[in-house]
Amino acid sequence: MNVLKNRWFDGVNTVFLLLVAVITFYPLWHELSLSFSSMEEAMKGGAFLWPRAFTTAAYHTVLGSDYIWVAYRNSVFSTVAGTLIGVLLTAMTAYPLTKQEMPAKNVILFLVLFTMLFSGGMIPTYLLVKQLGLINSLWSLILPTAISAFNVIIMLSFFRTLPAELEDSAMIDGANPLRIFFGIVMPLSKPVLATVALWEAVGIWNNYLNAVIYLNDKSKYTLPLLLRDVINGQITARMTGELTGSSVDSVVAATIIVAVVPVLCVYPYLQKYFVKGVMIGSVKS
């Protein structure tokens, strides 16, 4: 009887999760199909599963525009630089907090946790960024959010699982704290580093609010801002020109797909570290 109940439970769970996956995936699939549809078919609208009157005209329009490449360059720079800086600073913040001998460790940890509940707010943050001269700079997307309290806690939990004997042996062999951190701790922490790196990269790549607030120069636009202008029709006409073979809707869809592709390509390579890093970093202590 229990076996039958378990099978029913597994079956219902499977059907439910498949339904959720389809509902979640369909909007992206719809945009992909729309981007490969001809002008006439794309303008008809409606729901469909496959491209109608297949054509790559929209991608020729998007990839032939200077706007997309400028936005790509800015997004790639801010994402790569922001991820490297964020992961490094987060690790350098979390690692010392695992040491019992560190002065004022509990006070610092309390201040880190405090920022998870309270923040300075949008206006004080904007004034600070302005006083630092970061307005209309890609660094405004990187430095203000370089360290996340949540990521610090995840790394802190992971670092506590590392055997203390490894560091003791390295110290006996004459290694200094920097050598231990970069030569032993960091290589052993690949799962949690990859997890935090994925979170940082996706967060910066999709960072829309900060880009809207701090970036006014179109030469500094990232992909989220470009998508906003394309969807609002502010630069779509200049991108599409005479719309030879592609409609505004298909160009918007192609721009969305082009913006999403890098994240879709990176995630499978980090997935194994992602699962392991989350489980070890958040469960073990």
Side-chain angles (χ1 to χ4, degrees):
M1 190 67 178
N2 290 332
V3 175
L4 183 60
K5 288 182 178 180
N6 289 337
R7 288 181 178 177
W8 271 103
F9 179 78
D10 291 341
V12 172
N13 258 350
T14 301
V15 172
F16 174 74
L17 292 176
L18 284 175
L19 181 62
V20 171
V22 170
I23 294 174
T24 304
F25 181 70
Y26 176 73
L28 180 61
W29 182 258
H30 174 76
E31 293 300 314
L32 180 63
S33 300
L34 183 62
S35 68
F36 283 111
S37 299
S38 67
M39 180 193 305
E40 295 79 9
E41 297 296 331
M43 293 177 67
K44 291 180 180 178
F48 50 91
L49 294 176
W50 305 105
R52 298 186 294 196
F54 182 89
T55 177
T56 58
Y59 287 95
H60 288 294
T61 301
V62 172
L63 298 179
S65 170
D66 292 336
Y67 293 104
I68 191 70
W69 297 115
V70 170
Y72 244 110
R73 180 192 64 198
N74 294 334
S75 289
V76 169
F77 170 78
S78 58
T79 300
V80 173
T83 301
L84 293 177
I85 293 174
V87 171
L88 179 61
L89 293 182
T90 301
M92 294 177 69
T93 302
Y95 178 67
L97 295 176
T98 63
K99 305 302 176 185
Q100 295 295 332
E101 63 273 13
M102 179 180 176
K105 181 188 72 171
N106 292 333
V107 175
I108 296 173
L109 186 57
F110 169 78
L111 293 176
V112 171
L113 293 174
F114 185 82
T115 63
M116 296 181 67
L117 304 176
F118 303 96
S119 65
M122 183 182 297
I123 295 177
T125 303
Y126 177 84
L127 294 176
L128 176 61
V129 172
K130 182 179 179 180
Q131 290 174 359
L132 292 174
L134 297 178
I135 299 297
N136 269 330
S137 170
L138 293 177
W139 291 105
S140 63
L141 308 180
I142 299 172
L143 298 181
T145 57
I147 300 179
S148 165
F150 179 78
N151 291 342
V152 170
I153 300 304
I154 293 295
M155 280 201 180
L156 177 62
S157 300
F158 186 91
F159 288 153
R160 285 174 176 170
T161 65
L162 298 179
E165 292 78 10
L166 291 175
E167 299 182 33
D168 295 338
S169 300
M171 292 179 65
I172 293 175
D173 292 337
N176 57 38
L178 285 178
R179 179 62 183 274
I180 293 174
F181 177 70
F182 287 104
I184 298 177
V185 174
M186 294 292 275
L188 291 176
S189 305
K190 288 181 181 179
V192 73
L193 292 177
T195 301
V196 173
L198 181 62
W199 289 342
E200 291 277 356
V202 173
I204 297 174
W205 187 267
N206 295 327
N207 193 334
Y208 173 74
L209 181 60
N210 285 355
V212 169
I213 295 173
Y214 303 131
L215 302 179
N216 302 315
D217 187 354
K218 290 188 181 295
S219 65
K220 302 294 184 180
Y221 272 17
T222 55
L223 283 171
L225 287 185
L226 177 68
L227 282 173
R228 179 201 62 180
D229 286 358
V230 171
I231 293 173
N232 291 340
Q234 296 180 23
I235 64 173
T236 308
R238 280 174 282 176
M239 288 180 64
T240 57
E242 298 179 354
L243 293 176
T244 54
S246 61
S247 69
V248 173
D249 291 339
S250 59
V251 169
V252 170
T255 307
I256 293 174
I257 296 300
V258 169
V260 170
V261 163
V263 176
L264 295 179
C265 292
V266 170
Y267 182 79
Y269 294 100
L270 297 179
Q271 184 179 13
K272 59 179 180 180
Y273 295 113
F274 179 80
V275 176
K276 185 178 179 182
V278 171
M279 292 302 296
I280 295 179
S282 59
V283 175
K284 291 186 178 179
S285 59

